[in-house]
Amino acid sequence: MRIHHLRMRAFGPFADDTVIDVDALAADGLFLLHGQTGAGKSTILDAVAFALFGRVPGARNDAKRLHSDHAAPDVVPEVELEATIGGRRLRIIRSPEFHRPKKTGEGTRKINARASLVWVDGSGPALTRIPDIGDAVIGVLGMSAEQFFQVVLLPQGDFARFLRANPDERESLLERVFDTARFGDLEEWLRERARESEADLGERTAALDRLAGQIVAVGGGDAPAEPDDEWAQACRDAAAQDDSRSAAVLTSAQAAADQARAAYDAGVRVADLRRRGGEARSQLGQLVRGEAEFAAATTALAAARRAAPLGPIADDLDRAITIRRQADRGVDRAAGRFVELDEAEAWCAGREANSIDPDALEQAIGRWTTESGRWQPLARRIDERPALIADIDAVDTRITQCGKRMGELSELVERAPERRRLAAESLTAATQMRVQVPGLRTEHERLTKLVVAWEEREKQRASARAAERKLLDAREKQVSAAEHLVDLRRRRLDGMAAELAAQLVDGQPCMVCGSADHPEPTVATDGTSVSDADEADARAAEQDAATHRDAAQARHAAIAQRLAVLDDTLGEMSREQIDDDLARSAAALADADRAVARIPGLEQALGAIDAETDAWRRELGECESIRSADRQKAMSLRETLTALDAEILEATGGRGGITERLAELGELIRRAASLRDARRAGLDAAGRHDDIAQRLGERCVAAGFDDAAAMRAALATDDQITAWEALLTRAGALRAAAEATLAEPDVAAALTADPVDVDALTADLRVAEEVRVAAAREHAVAARRHAVLKEYVAQFWSAADGLAPLRERHEELRGLAELVAGRGQNSRRMALRSYVLAARLEEVLVAASARLRQMSSGRYEFAHSDAAGPRGRRGGLGIEVRDEYTGAVRATTTLSGGETFFASLALALGLADVVSAEAGGRVLDTLFIDEGFGTLDPEALDLVMGVLDELRSGGRVVGVVSHVEELRARIPAQLHVIRGENGSRVRMEGMAVPAVGG
């Protein structure tokens, strides 16, 4: 994999577009990535990882904060990477998930992650789905994200910890790099199969034990310690013998019970026949004694049957008598009410009203009806007169009300123009104030910003004084640290000269100048002894002091620049002047806002005045129209009333009233009609009564009765007739049944035989049945026990036959599961997955040893240890170092800081070689080495640089991330990450064409 181009925007500390031309930077094969702490060096590596895999290494990925805090919240964070992987050139653009402010309202909106992949060389279609892009990158790169983070972004701190870690911690890292999941799955599969086999074996054994227990529970006795087939067969045979014995006993008991049942049935039959014969003789005696009662019932039943058809006619005669009497009373009442009227009494002329002919009454009713008809139309008009007078009064009232309302409306219409003028003037004034609001608000905002700027200037002045003190202090510390470093180097040089002088021998040449004369050799003193560690500490202290000085100086310059901007903004204005202007501006703005707020209400009020005025004018016109119409209506109603009164006067001649005469005629007609109807009903009732009386007399003589009274005496109710019939029928049936029973031969024979003792026969049968039931119960239990034992013994034999091979297979499977899990017969205590990781680790150590021998001038190489750990802990992942100077194998924890660094670097490079080979031999053309160079002395640094030169000469590009000052002199091509208040930017140094930096 070779990286060509990297671009970041709103990513980490990089707020603006930051473009890095990696091809130009890596033209020499080696470049340095340096900058202040927190500037964003690791962010550049994170950007490479994020572009490829959509995530960043380590804990930074968990934070989910990739959007730059220096960029605006709505700027989309984005990373673009162009690289060649596996001979295919591609360009990936990714944007992480982030939150941006909502365009409307408060709060934020989540923006989902997005990505795109374009094959620059046209070797494949463009992709936009994030899962597809991830699969494509892993496929062409040949490694996962974890492998990439370990073998391309070489974190030296991680490998130093790996070097000193215990086997469990090493296993965790190796599992992330090498895919051993399938071996773990195999271990888990074997463990699961062993657990299933153990559960199956336990279940089968428990089933066998349950069957033995069930055999004991059914057959009785005690179970042996190891139940076997012979024991089961013995239990089955004993049950079979009990079954045969109980069957014989049941057969004997059944025969005795059958004999007792036959004797009992015969005795009960004889006793029943004797009982039936006695009951028949008793019934015949009772029938002889009731012969007189049966004869009387027969005679009464015959008379009732002859009188039954005549009963309805007698009932009709009774009803006709009642109706005739009621009709006569009705005629008397109607006649009395009719003659109460004077005109009716005069019409009767001495005749009895209840004897007047109905036809004469009908003629009188016709004459009176004709007279009433002549008076009806005029009467109806007289009834309408009160309503006519009420209508005239209502119309007069409406005319008065309309006149009053018209006066009120006229007054309102006259006052409307003045009201509208006042409302229009108020609206005009408020509209003029609205025009002034933008200017007043702009002035108020300007003065408010001036107040804020004044307060900020006071704070910045205090900060400037503090920053100036910190800058002076930082400069003093840096100068002191630099002087101390120079002094240490001078003292070390003096010490080196003294060491060389101490090795001089008279007559032998000096290894420095070659002279055999040594006139003034340097003499060592206590003050000239300076170690590498002392110089390194002093150099680090000087670098830290310089970093703090630069930071303090940048902070002081930023504050000074901000103060200059604030001074330009405020000018010569005082705080009192600003506060006074702000107060006046706020008051004017508040007045204007209040006036503007009243504009909608004033506009509505003006519209309401116009609407009310129009409504009043319309209502005034409507009232005028209504009053004119009511006046015309009142005149017409009065003319109608006058004409009606004149017509009544003409009709009556001033004598009486028409209504009274109509009422008198109506009552006369009603009473005459009532008398007519009553006379007709009385005549009808008398005729019907006479017809029914004659017909009843004739039918009674024909039925054999002397008169109707004799017929009525013979009548009987339906229930009485039914009772007589039932009595006679029952007596005949009882007689026939008794005679038939006595005529039966068996009954006659039983009556002549001796009595039977049924109780004794019942007792004998009960005893025999109890014996049979007990024998049957015992046989059923024995038979059931035999059948159940046959089933259980068969199941026992089947379970015992399948248990032995299952136990053998389980032991084999359990041993294999323990073996691959590092237990049991596994003497190394290594699980299968650990064994595979140990083999991978051995490959890594072989590749890393070549690097380590080169970096240590042939002194060190790695040694793999597969010994088990203390207290039985798993082995196979041990790392040791063989010292060729002493021939001893040492623990990695005994290495010094510099030795630990190049041992870690060798491990990292060896791991990269192995993973690259495992990924199909893909060459990782670009590597990043992160920190650790500060622990090396110059000689060790030369060796490490030699290894890096070797990697470079092999065609790889190596990026070194370090703070070490000496590397800046050794590596010309540099990418300097510069931290700033508005975000970080990059600068390419030692190149012909610099990169574009944010």
Side-chain angles (χ1 to χ4, degrees):
M1 181 192 78
R2 180 178 294 275
I3 301 175
H4 303 294
H5 172 86
L6 178 66
R7 179 180 63 83
M8 300 170 289
R9 181 185 68 201
F11 188 82
F14 299 98
D16 300 327
D17 264 351
T18 301
V19 181
I20 302 175
D21 187 354
V22 183
D23 282 338
L25 182 66
D28 194 35
L30 181 66
F31 65 91
L32 176 66
L33 179 61
H34 67 96
Q36 298 172 315
T37 300
K41 301 184 297 297
S42 297
T43 304
I44 295 177
L45 307 185
D46 290 346
V48 174
F50 177 75
L52 291 172
F53 299 101
R55 49 172 295 198
V56 299
R60 296 188 297 277
N61 187 64
D62 299 333
K64 301 294 185 183
R65 280 180 52 82
L66 299 180
H67 188 279
S68 176
D69 293 335
H70 298 283
D74 56 348
V75 176
V76 179
E78 189 175 83
V79 174
E80 178 183 345
L81 175 71
E82 187 170 338
T84 298
I85 305 175
R88 303 175 68 183
R89 186 154 181 165
L90 56 84
R91 181 186 301 112
I92 301 177
I93 302 176
R94 282 189 189 267
S95 175
E97 175 187 305
F98 72 103
H99 291 76
R100 73 179 185 190
K102 294 181 178 179
K103 294 183 178 180
T104 58
E106 299 181 354
T108 60
R109 175 191 173 194
K110 184 178 78 172
I111 305 301
N112 294 326
R114 56 181 177 83
S116 65
L117 185 150
V118 177
W119 300 100
V120 179
D121 55 4
S123 59
L127 303 175
T128 56
R129 293 182 69 251
I130 293 178
D132 295 342
I133 295 174
D135 294 341
V137 170
I138 293 176
V140 72
L141 192 60
M143 63 181 68
S144 65
E146 291 293 344
Q147 291 175 321
F148 181 84
F149 297 158
Q150 295 295 333
V151 303
V152 178
L153 311 178
L154 302 180
Q156 297 306 302
D158 288 351
F159 281 95
R161 287 190 295 274
F162 178 77
L163 194 64
R164 296 186 174 93
N166 58 43
D168 291 337
E169 294 172 344
R170 287 198 188 102
E171 183 177 4
S172 176
L173 174 62
L174 291 173
E175 284 179 343
R176 292 200 306 268
V177 177
F178 298 107
D179 183 13
T180 61
R182 60 187 184 278
F183 301 104
D185 293 341
L186 178 58
E187 293 179 26
E188 181 60 30
W189 185 84
L190 287 172
R191 281 195 298 271
E192 186 62 28
R193 298 291 85 73
R195 284 194 294 268
E196 292 177 356
S197 176
E198 182 178 6
D200 190 17
L201 179 61
E203 185 177 348
R204 295 289 185 88
T205 303
L208 189 65
D209 293 339
R210 286 194 300 272
L211 286 172
Q214 290 169 343
I215 291 173
V216 172
V218 174
D222 298 328
E226 294 292 336
D228 55 10
D229 293 348
E230 294 180 358
W231 168 80
Q233 182 63 48
C235 292
R236 177 179 175 181
D237 293 342
Q241 293 175 1
D242 290 342
D243 187 13
S244 299
R245 180 187 56 77
S246 62
V249 173
L250 176 59
T251 301
S252 176
Q254 184 66 47
D258 293 342
Q259 185 177 1
R261 170 62 67 180
Y264 172 79
D265 291 342
V268 170
R269 183 172 183 278
V270 171
D272 184 62
L273 290 173
R274 289 178 60 83
R275 178 187 59 77
R276 289 177 59 202
E279 290 178 353
R281 288 175 178 176
S282 175
Q283 286 177 354
L284 286 176
Q286 291 177 358
L287 290 174
V288 171
R289 290 190 294 272
E291 285 295 340
E293 180 183 357
F294 297 147
T298 301
T299 301
L301 178 60
R305 285 175 176 171
R306 294 197 314 273
L310 304 178
I313 300 176
D315 293 339
D316 289 344
L317 180 60
D318 293 339
R319 285 193 293 273
I321 293 172
T322 302
I323 292 173
R324 182 174 183 177
R325 292 172 181 173
Q326 291 176 351
D328 291 342
R329 288 194 295 271
V331 171
D332 292 339
R333 284 195 300 272
R337 294 186 69 249
F338 178 66
V339 297
E340 288 177 356
L341 301 176
D342 295 338
E343 189 171 351
E345 185 178 5
W347 179 79
C348 289
R351 294 175 294 176
E352 292 292 334
N354 53 6
S355 60
I356 295 176
D357 182 39
D359 294 336
L361 281 173
E362 186 67 34
Q363 294 176 1
I365 291 172
R367 187 175 66 257
W368 292 328
T369 301
T370 301
E371 183 181 356
S372 177
R374 292 198 306 270
W375 293 100
Q376 285 294 334
L378 184 58
R380 284 195 295 271
R381 294 186 61 193
I382 292 172
D383 292 339
E384 294 173 357
R385 190 175 186 279
L388 184 62
I389 295 173
D391 290 343
I392 294 172
D393 294 339
V395 171
D396 291 341
T397 301
R398 284 202 304 272
I399 293 172
T400 304
Q401 291 176 347
C402 283
K404 182 179 179 181
R405 179 58 180 166
M406 288 173 64
E408 296 173 353
L409 291 173
S410 299
E411 185 178 356
L412 290 173
V413 170
E414 291 176 357
R415 291 201 301 265
E418 180 62 21
R419 289 178 59 210
R420 191 183 190 285
R421 182 185 63 78
L422 295 176
E425 290 177 355
S426 299
L427 178 59
T428 301
T431 304
Q432 292 174 354
M433 291 294 291
R434 181 168 58 186
V435 177
Q436 301 175 11
V437 167
L440 293 173
R441 182 166 286 108
T442 301
E443 177 65 14
H444 184 267
E445 291 175 353
R446 183 185 70 83
L447 293 173
T448 302
K449 291 179 180 178
L450 289 179
V451 172
V452 175
W454 180 278
E455 294 174 351
E456 184 182 358
R457 184 173 67 176
E458 295 302 314
K459 294 179 181 178
Q460 291 291 346
R461 285 174 176 175
S463 299
R465 291 190 293 270
E468 185 175 3
R469 289 193 298 270
K470 290 182 180 179
L471 176 60
L472 293 176
D473 183 59
R475 286 174 177 172
E476 291 176 358
K477 289 181 179 179
Q478 192 275 333
V479 171
S480 176
E483 291 175 351
H484 179 62
L485 178 61
V486 171
D487 180 63
L488 284 180
R489 288 177 174 171
R490 179 186 58 74
R491 288 162 54 193
R492 186 174 186 185
L493 292 174
D494 293 343
M496 291 180 181
E499 291 175 5
L500 293 174
Q503 298 175 5
L504 294 176
V505 180
D506 292 338
Q508 294 183 1
C510 174
M511 66 181 67
V512 178
C513 63
S515 174
D517 296 329
H518 316 298
E520 296 182 0
T522 303
V523 179
T525 62
D526 294 338
T528 61
S529 178
V530 178
S531 64
D532 292 343
D534 293 337
E535 184 177 356
D537 292 342
R539 185 167 57 251
E542 191 277 334
Q543 290 176 352
D544 290 342
T547 300
H548 287 100
R549 179 203 59 196
D550 293 343
Q553 188 170 358
R555 175 65 177 166
H556 182 269
I559 293 175
Q561 182 178 3
R562 182 58 181 164
L563 276 174
V565 172
L566 293 174
D567 289 338
D568 291 342
T569 300
L570 293 171
E572 299 298 328
M573 296 184 68
S574 65
R575 179 59 186 267
E576 292 77 8
Q577 182 180 357
I578 294 174
D579 290 342
D580 293 343
D581 292 347
L582 180 62
R584 286 192 297 271
S585 175
L589 180 60
D591 293 341
D593 286 340
R594 285 193 296 270
V596 170
R598 292 178 57 232
I599 289 177
L602 292 174
E603 291 175 345
Q604 293 179 359
L606 187 61
I609 291 174
D610 292 339
E612 286 178 347
T613 304
D614 293 340
W616 292 336
R617 288 194 176 99
R618 286 194 302 273
E619 186 179 358
L620 185 61
E622 292 172 357
C623 288
E624 179 63 30
S625 298
I626 291 172
R627 187 172 65 172
S628 298
D630 285 344
R631 285 175 176 173
Q632 293 293 330
K633 185 176 182 180
M635 186 180 299
S636 175
L637 290 174
R638 285 189 174 88
E639 291 175 355
T640 301
L641 179 61
T642 301
L644 177 61
D645 291 342
E647 186 176 355
I648 293 171
L649 180 60
E650 181 182 356
T652 60
R655 302 182 304 273
I658 294 175
T659 302
E660 290 80 358
R661 179 56 181 168
L662 283 174
E664 181 180 343
L665 289 173
E667 185 65 20
L668 187 61
I669 292 169
R670 281 192 296 274
R671 293 188 184 189
S674 178
L675 178 58
R676 177 200 61 195
D677 295 339
R679 285 283 293 135
R680 287 176 178 175
L683 294 175
D684 292 341
R688 179 173 177 74
H689 170 263
D690 294 341
D691 291 341
I692 293 175
Q694 182 180 359
R695 182 158 46 92
L696 179 59
E698 294 173 352
R699 293 287 298 275
C700 285
V701 172
F705 295 105
D706 295 337
D707 52 19
M711 182 274 298
R712 291 180 183 274
L715 286 174
T717 62
D718 292 341
D719 292 341
Q720 183 63 51
I721 293 173
T722 302
W724 287 332
E725 291 174 346
L727 175 63
L728 297 176
T729 301
R730 185 168 62 255
L734 288 175
R735 184 184 300 277
E739 291 174 349
T741 299
L742 292 174
E744 293 178 7
D746 291 341
V747 174
L751 289 173
T752 60
D754 295 331
V756 179
D757 190 354
V758 178
D759 293 339
L761 293 175
T762 302
D764 294 341
L765 178 60
R766 184 184 304 111
V767 172
E769 283 293 330
E770 290 176 353
V771 172
R772 185 190 64 78
V773 170
R777 185 182 302 110
E778 182 178 357
H779 174 63
V781 171
R784 175 62 180 168
R785 182 186 301 114
H786 183 207
V788 171
L789 280 176
K790 285 174 62 179
E791 179 67 22
Y792 284 164
V793 169
Q795 294 178 7
F796 181 86
W797 289 341
S798 177
D801 292 341
L803 191 61
L806 184 64
R807 184 178 287 110
E808 294 176 1
R809 179 177 177 275
H810 170 68
E811 291 299 328
E812 180 182 0
L813 188 59
R814 182 178 61 83
L816 184 59
E818 290 184 349
L819 182 66
V820 299
R823 298 188 298 272
Q825 298 179 1
N826 191 331
S827 59
R828 292 187 177 183
R829 316 299 292 171
M830 292 178 63
L832 177 61
R833 183 172 53 181
S834 299
Y835 180 80
V836 174
L837 290 177
R840 289 285 191 267
L841 178 62
E842 191 170 3
E843 295 177 10
V844 172
L845 294 181
V846 170
S849 292
R851 309 286 190 189
L852 182 59
R853 281 193 296 271
Q854 181 179 355
M855 288 187 229
S856 63
S857 300
R859 179 176 180 180
Y860 296 117
E861 68 177 4
F862 288 110
H864 176 240
S865 172
D866 58 3
R871 294 186 296 278
R873 298 180 65 182
R874 292 181 295 179
L877 298 180
I879 301 178
E880 296 176 331
V881 176
R882 181 179 291 108
D883 190 344
E884 296 295 340
Y885 287 6
T886 63
V889 177
R890 298 163 49 189
T892 56
T893 56
T894 62
L895 297 176
S896 66
E899 292 170 342
T900 298
F901 168 74
F902 53 67
S904 302
L905 180 59
L907 264 179
L909 296 175
L911 179 63
D913 292 339
V914 172
V915 173
S916 176
E918 189 180 66
R922 293 179 175 86
V923 178
L924 303 176
D925 298 313
T926 305
L927 297 177
F928 292 92
I929 302 175
D930 191 0
E931 287 300 347
F933 293 90
T935 60
L936 302 178
D937 57 26
E939 181 180 357
L941 185 60
D942 288 338
L943 294 174
V944 172
M945 291 299 297
V947 173
L948 299 182
D949 287 338
E950 181 182 346
L951 294 174
R952 176 175 58 177
S953 63
R956 291 183 175 179
V957 175
V958 180
V960 177
V961 183
S962 178
H963 294 282
V964 177
E965 187 70 27
E966 191 168 348
L967 288 177
R968 300 185 188 181
R970 290 176 177 263
I971 303 175
Q974 300 176 11
L975 181 65
H976 187 190
V977 184
I978 303 170
R979 184 178 63 196
E981 289 187 1
N982 298 323
S984 298
R985 56 189 178 90
V986 299
R987 184 173 66 234
M988 294 176 59
E989 301 172 348
M991 307 302 305
V993 180
V996 179

